[in-house]
Amino acid sequence: MRSRLIAVLLVVVLLAAVALWTPSTEVLAADTTCNSCADCTSKLASGTWDTVTLTTDISNHGGTCIGLIHSESNVVFDCDGHTIDGDDTAIDPDHGITMMHGTGNTIQNCTISDFSDGIYLYDATSHVVTGNTLTSNESGIEIGWSDSNDINNNTITDNYNGIEISNSNNNTIDTNSVCQSEHLDFNLVSGTGNSGDNNTCDSPDGWNDDGTTGCTNICAGTTTCNSCSDCSSKLDGSSDSVMLTQDINNHVGTCISFGASKVEFDGNNHQIDGDDSGTDYGITMNGRSGNTVKNCDVRDFQYGIHLTGSSGNTVSRSTANSNTDDGIHLHNSSGNTIAVFNEANSNGRYGILLSSSSNNDVYFNDTDSNNNAGIRLSHADSNTITFNGVQDNNSTNAWGIYLYSSDSNTISSNNVVGNYYGIKFDNSHSNTLNSNKVCSN
């Protein structure tokens, strides 16, 4: 009788233990690891796993790496600090990670570089993007047609655009560091109700953190200025970047002067306006190297942007219109880059002038409606002039592109249309001319 009672009690104890025990395989079944783009994508799309964790770096991948395009939802992709690196060849748009049509996914702890978009959300709702580092992409994070996502605590540096938002609403963007973008830290194309706080950026493009204009913080190494004298005094090398915070109107004399090399001046798309008289420059550097001028709107000076005796500088995404002589003027300067969506229009002489200057690159600029020529080279050798729009420089005897006593230059793939004359070589030798459209002049 006693042994039977003991047996019954043992059975009861075992049944209770079974009822209370949860097999470890049920916990582990929610998580898995992956080691390649295809492996990670397959496991994320399977619907089997709650969390997929990358276990190794991925280098020099061609095309999109991680792609969820069929409404996959409620899954976490954790790179665990590993890198996803593209091949830096954006023949077709490629993404480090793209998620389309889904809801409730998380992307975290990834380092992503060398894609068209580091992270791309399209028609995505209630995703979380957190703790990622995005560098050297066309856009660090692009959000398109996507609502109510949470973008927080990411480091986004050295991309063309930092965060790009188009047709997207009610997203929360908090505590991100978005710095050193070639174009814009925030590129706001369209959308309403997007908000956030405690972000760090220099070029917000209309983005405003809660309760302030622009981002709460500026990027490390950046200082701001609000006048010609203030900007010039700060371009002394003590800061990596100096950013203008307001328009300057009807200034008398030269405005911005670089006092050092290897400094960036960001006009932040503000206007720098002269008084349309005298010998003066909107922005000038003399004997400087390694400087950058970007996002400036310079007008009504003798020369809008002026470089003399300077090398290895870059002028990009700036406007130099309606100056009495030249929009952009280089004298005795070599190895500079005047490129990427500059406008030098409606100036009294030339849109861009290279005088006694060699080995400069001039590409992807518009030089329209100038009185004497869109682009002029004078005693300027071994320059590359390519992919420029040179149109409607149609005053009497005006030229689209005019070379005088200039040798061994390359003039290619320019659109030279609607000028009084097209392209002229005057006492110029051994120049290369190819793939230009020269019509209706």
Side-chain angles (χ1 to χ4, degrees), residues 102-290:
T103 300
N105 295 318
T106 297
I107 302 166
Q108 63 189 31
N109 304 323
C110 300
T111 297
I112 305 174
S113 60
D114 294 335
F115 291 92
S116 297
D117 296 308
I119 295 173
Y120 179 46
L121 302 182
Y122 178 80
D123 188 29
T125 304
S126 300
H127 286 32
V128 176
V129 178
T130 184
N132 303 288
T133 299
L134 302 117
T135 185
S136 298
N137 303 286
E138 186 76 7
S139 292
I141 299 174
E142 182 175 356
I143 306 168
W145 301 94
S146 296
D147 301 336
S148 303
N149 299 285
D150 184 3
I151 314 298
N152 71 79
N153 290 286
N154 301 286
T155 301
I156 306 167
T157 58
D158 289 315
N159 302 282
Y160 183 71
N161 288 314
I163 297 176
E164 182 168 337
I165 302 172
S166 60
N167 298 296
S168 298
N169 308 307
N170 302 315
N171 296 283
T172 300
I173 301 177
D174 279 332
T175 321
N176 301 282
S177 178
V178 192
C179 293
Q180 299 174 12
S181 302
E182 182 180 342
H183 181 211
L184 295 168
D185 294 334
F186 282 78
N187 186 19
L188 305 182
V189 180
S190 59
T192 60
N194 300 296
S195 63
D197 198 12
N198 200 35
N199 293 292
T200 300
C201 74
D202 284 341
S203 49
D205 188 39
W207 172 268
N208 296 315
D209 278 351
D210 294 343
T212 190
T213 299
C215 290
T216 304
N217 310 294
I218 62 174
C219 299
T222 297
T223 190
T224 60
C225 63
N226 58 20
S227 69
C228 295
S229 59
D230 187 28
C231 295
S232 295
S233 68
K234 290 176 178 176
L235 286 167
D236 62 354
S238 58
S239 298
D240 296 331
S241 181
V242 178
M243 182 175 63
L244 182 62
T245 58
Q246 65 183 36
D247 291 346
I248 298 171
N249 294 310
N250 203 36
H251 180 77
V252 178
T254 294
C255 184
I256 309 293
S257 297
F258 277 77
S261 297
K262 298 182 180 178
V263 184
E264 176 184 87
F265 177 64
D266 185 349
N268 200 20
N269 297 310
H270 288 293
Q271 186 176 105
I272 301 170
D273 174 59
D275 66 348
D276 211 16
S277 67
T279 301
D280 52 12
Y281 315 126
I283 299 171
T284 186
M285 60 183 79
N286 187 342
R288 306 302 179 192
S289 62

Side-chain angles (χ1 to χ4, degrees), residues 33-44 52-58 61 65-66 77 84:
T33 60
C34 63
N35 59 19
S36 69
C37 296
D39 185 30
C40 295
T41 298
S42 174
K43 288 174 177 175
L44 287 164
V52 178
T53 302
L54 181 63
T55 59
T56 187
D57 292 342
I58 297 171
H61 180 78
C65 182
I66 311 298
F77 180 55
I84 300 174

Side-chain angles (χ1 to χ4, degrees), residues 317-333:
R317 294 194 169 273
S318 293
T319 298
N321 294 343
S322 301
N323 297 283
T324 55
D325 279 5
D326 307 331
I328 300 173
H329 180 118
L330 275 64
H331 176 69
N332 195 27
S333 295

